[in-house]
Amino acid sequence: MFTRINSSGIQGIGAYPVSVEADVANGLPGFSISGQLSTEVREAQERVRTALKNSGFQLPAKKITVNLSPAGVKKGGTAFDLPIAVAVLGAFGVLDTGGLGECLVIGELGLDGSVKPVPGVLVHTEAARAGGLRQCILPGENEREGRLIKGIQIIGIRSLKELVQTLARPDWKSTGQKEETEEEEKDRSCEGDLVDFKEINGQGVLRRAAEVAAAGMHGLLMCGSAGTGKSMVASRIPTILPGLTREEDIEISRVYSVCGKLPPGRPLLSKRPFRSPHHTISPQGLTGGGRFPVPGEFSLASGGVLFLDELPHFGRGAIEALRQPLEDRKIVISRVWGSCEFPADFLIVGAMNPCPCGFFPDRNRCSCTEAQIQGYLRRLSLPILERFDMGVEAAPVSFRELEETPAENESSKEIRTRVERAVKIQKKRFEGTKIRFNSRMGPAEIRRFCPLGEREREFAEKVYEIRGLSARSYHKVLKTARTIADLAGEKNIRREHLAEAFGYRTLEGRLWGREKN
């Protein structure tokens, strides 16, 4: 008997349909699988054979042939275990698979017949709905994740025995819940933030820069001696970013689902991601890749913050890999068989010391030579520096500031209120376009939304000529000034907004000697 079961495979952060075909015939007993298979898919025959035996299915000794179509596409992962088992049972006549024509089946099998969770359920379910399927049978532990996709019935299964019993019922298509309700999503949302800006004493400049960066999604580079609070500020930036919409949450969670990084028991990430990779990471670890390309840190940080601490210690290739994502907000990985596109729309935050030992300009503790300092700083190229909209120095915190009561500090909630107000202004400004934040404006949008008065234009021209800024740097100043004006509730960019924005472009000149004398 011949049987066909609908399944799907992961490619990038999308899924493609796969037909699992099984045929049982007389001849030399055996179990073969074809269709351009990775190692884990080839091993499925042993998992399926043993899981069927331990689930109580004593099948006759026959020649079993399984094909995963289309045969010309390389297939990986363990999600084909369950559809292979269902197809084999259908081919032997043990299971009636006639009603599975509009059903997707995915899941990994344990040797005892249990159905284990698989990554990428959010993507599998979306692809099933897009392909016109009405039901999706998947592991019970992934059921909540699958319910997030509306318009398709989700049936969670925890063992092969349970699956056979479910399909034996005439009303099995009416079981399961079709979609996750908004109330259930809210109940399973993440807990409150564990960190807060209230805990940071002093560092008024860093706090202000973080607020401006969050309001307009402007890249921020912090430079200062060791122990001045750079990492503390960076780790708290997600707490002042605007709240997630349901669409944004699903978009972010899709990447984490494919990577198998969703929190246990939660179908959505439910918070802005904060990624802080170690400086030994490879360029591929940042961009993603592999024979079957998977997202890297750039994509895992999309929608949130990518924090690169000790930035000059990152490899040259890793730092230069930032160029395209910071401009295009996406990563394209090409292979012989095609290409995969991953999101990379994150807020970049970098932190670094002013010298190798971290104590310059305190010569009582810093013994670095001028050549060592310059060599350390020049690990960052000018094109990379110019891709940070803002640069600030972190001054040492005084003893009096350390002794301040945290209750006197402004909380993340208070700062986020101002940030969200500025984001609403930007949303209205860019309505009908793909732009959401001021930092994403191009030259045309800058001319339209960042006009300067005569007084402001004269001021900007004077600073531009004195500092010898590049066109890219000047445009970043205008975008930052636009955000500062939005935070102040001002319709037009004023001189004080420009002055603050130009102040965020002085770091490269002071440390790298980029300014004209």
Side-chain angles (χ1 to χ4, degrees):
M1 186 181 295
F2 171 81
T3 305
R4 179 185 291 111
I5 300 296
N6 298 312
S7 189
S8 60
I10 296 291
Q11 190 173 85
I13 56 170
Y16 59 94
V18 174
S19 293
V20 179
E21 305 166 336
D23 182 76
V24 174
N26 295 323
L28 188 66
F31 194 137
S32 63
I33 306 178
S34 61
Q36 276 216 46
L37 315 175
S38 65
T39 302
E40 59 266 27
V41 182
R42 289 189 180 280
E43 293 171 346
Q45 58 180 297
E46 299 301 329
R47 292 193 295 273
V48 170
R49 192 202 310 268
T50 307
L52 290 172
K53 176 180 70 70
N54 290 333
S55 296
F57 300 104
Q58 300 299 325
L59 303 178
K62 298 279 187 177
K63 181 181 179 181
I64 304 171
T65 303
V66 175
N67 179 54
L68 305 187
S69 177
V73 178
K74 188 77 172 180
K75 302 165 190 73
T78 57
F80 297 113
D81 290 6
L82 187 60
I84 289 174
V86 172
V88 169
L89 289 173
F92 272 105
V94 176
L95 184 65
D96 182 10
T97 59
L100 295 178
E102 295 182 325
C103 181
L104 180 84
V105 183
I106 56 171
E108 178 183 342
L109 286 177
L111 296 184
D112 60 349
S114 61
V115 179
K116 299 182 178 182
V118 295
V121 165
L122 205 55
V123 175
H124 285 295
T125 312
E126 281 183 320
R129 183 187 63 179
L133 301 183
R134 296 177 180 271
Q135 296 92 26
C136 183
I137 296 177
L138 44 74
E141 292 184 42
N142 295 129
E143 185 175 358
R144 290 177 177 175
E145 186 181 344
R147 286 188 203 157
L148 293 170
I149 306 303
K150 299 180 180 180
I152 186 168
Q153 181 185 9
I154 302 299
I155 302 173
I157 297 296
R158 297 188 179 275
S159 68
L160 267 176
K161 285 183 179 180
E162 181 184 348
L163 175 60
V164 172
Q165 292 168 359
T166 298
L167 296 182
R169 298 200 302 266
D171 62 341
W172 70 268
K173 290 186 178 181
S174 63
T175 62
Q177 184 176 341
K178 289 189 176 182
E179 59 190 44
E180 185 90 338
T181 65
E182 297 288 342
E183 289 74 17
E184 287 175 314
E185 290 178 35
K186 187 175 181 180
D187 290 342
R188 298 190 186 102
S189 64
C190 64
E191 301 79 8
D193 297 315
L194 300 178
V195 294
D196 197 293
F197 266 93
K198 185 182 286 291
E199 301 161 346
I200 299 178
N201 291 348
Q203 295 299 5
V205 174
L206 287 188
R207 293 168 65 96
R208 171 62 176 174
E211 179 179 341
V212 175
M217 293 295 281
H218 299 285
L220 173 63
L221 176 62
M222 297 177 287
C223 180
S225 301
T228 52
K230 302 185 295 296
S231 298
M232 286 187 66
V233 170
S235 64
R236 284 156 177 77
I237 289 179
T239 68
I240 64 173
L241 289 173
L244 285 172
T245 63
R246 186 179 188 275
E247 291 73 21
E248 287 178 317
D249 203 357
I250 291 178
E251 186 68 26
I252 292 171
S253 299
R254 182 184 292 112
V255 177
Y256 279 75
S257 175
V258 168
C259 296
K261 294 182 179 294
L262 280 176
R266 290 220 306 267
L268 291 173
L269 192 62
S270 300
K271 63 179 181 180
R272 298 278 181 185
F274 177 80
R275 304 295 298 182
S276 181
H278 193 261
H279 62 259
T280 56
I281 192 171
S282 67
Q284 290 72 29
L286 289 173
T287 61
R291 188 173 183 183
F292 295 95
V294 294
E297 291 293 336
F298 289 166
S299 300
L300 291 170
S302 191
V305 176
L306 176 67
F307 177 46
L308 302 181
D309 200 5
E310 303 293 347
L311 185 58
H313 288 291
F314 281 77
R316 184 79 175 185
I319 293 176
E320 295 301 320
L322 285 166
R323 292 197 186 197
Q324 182 191 3
L326 291 179
E327 292 291 334
D328 301 337
R329 306 296 169 183
K330 64 181 180 181
I331 289 286
V332 178
I333 298 178
S334 299
R335 294 291 181 267
V336 174
W337 45 262
S339 61
C340 295
E341 184 177 302
F342 298 142
D345 191 2
F346 50 82
L347 170 58
I348 178 70
V349 179
M352 58 178 292
N353 297 327
C355 69
C357 75
F359 295 111
F360 183 82
D362 185 356
R363 283 303 185 177
N364 292 325
R365 292 189 291 176
C366 176
S367 59
C368 299
T369 66
E370 186 65 25
Q372 288 175 325
I373 295 175
Q374 291 302 315
Y376 173 78
L377 296 177
R378 292 184 188 280
R379 292 179 185 176
L380 303 180
S381 65
L382 183 57
I384 290 297
L385 289 174
E386 288 184 335
R387 280 169 170 79
F388 285 92
D389 293 6
M390 305 166 59
V392 292
E393 289 190 71
V397 181
S398 68
F399 179 80
R400 178 172 295 182
E401 290 174 326
L402 283 177
E403 289 300 304
E404 289 179 352
T405 305
E408 300 174 358
N409 298 330
E410 199 172 26
S411 68
S412 292
K413 183 178 181 180
E414 294 172 301
I415 301 173
R416 185 169 61 244
T417 300
R418 293 195 298 269
V419 169
E420 290 181 336
R421 186 166 57 242
V423 170
K424 287 181 181 178
I425 293 173
Q426 295 169 68
K427 182 178 181 181
K428 184 177 181 180
R429 174 182 299 134
F430 302 123
E431 193 172 4
T433 71
K434 295 182 179 180
I435 299 174
R436 293 188 299 169
F437 300 101
N438 290 330
S439 62
R440 310 307 192 240
M441 288 190 290
E445 291 78 22
I446 292 174
R447 286 192 295 271
R448 179 181 177 186
F449 299 116
C450 302
L452 299 180
E454 187 64 30
R455 181 168 171 261
E456 287 75 21
R457 186 178 294 107
E458 290 177 359
F459 174 72
E461 182 180 4
K462 184 176 180 180
V463 178
Y464 180 85
E465 295 295 338
I466 291 175
R467 293 189 180 176
L469 298 177
S470 67
R472 178 188 283 134
S473 293
Y474 177 61
H475 283 165
K476 289 186 178 296
V477 167
L478 291 178
K479 290 187 282 188
T480 305
R482 180 68 271 173
T483 299
I484 295 170
D486 291 341
L487 284 169
E490 297 281 355
K491 183 178 180 180
N492 298 319
I493 297 175
R494 301 190 181 279
R495 178 169 175 166
E496 55 268 28
H497 306 147
L498 279 172
E500 183 178 352
F502 274 119
Y504 295 133
R505 297 300 308 178
T506 61
L507 182 63
E508 63 191 63
R510 288 201 297 271
L511 295 182
W512 281 267
R514 304 294 188 184
E515 293 183 69
K516 292 181 179 179
N517 294 324

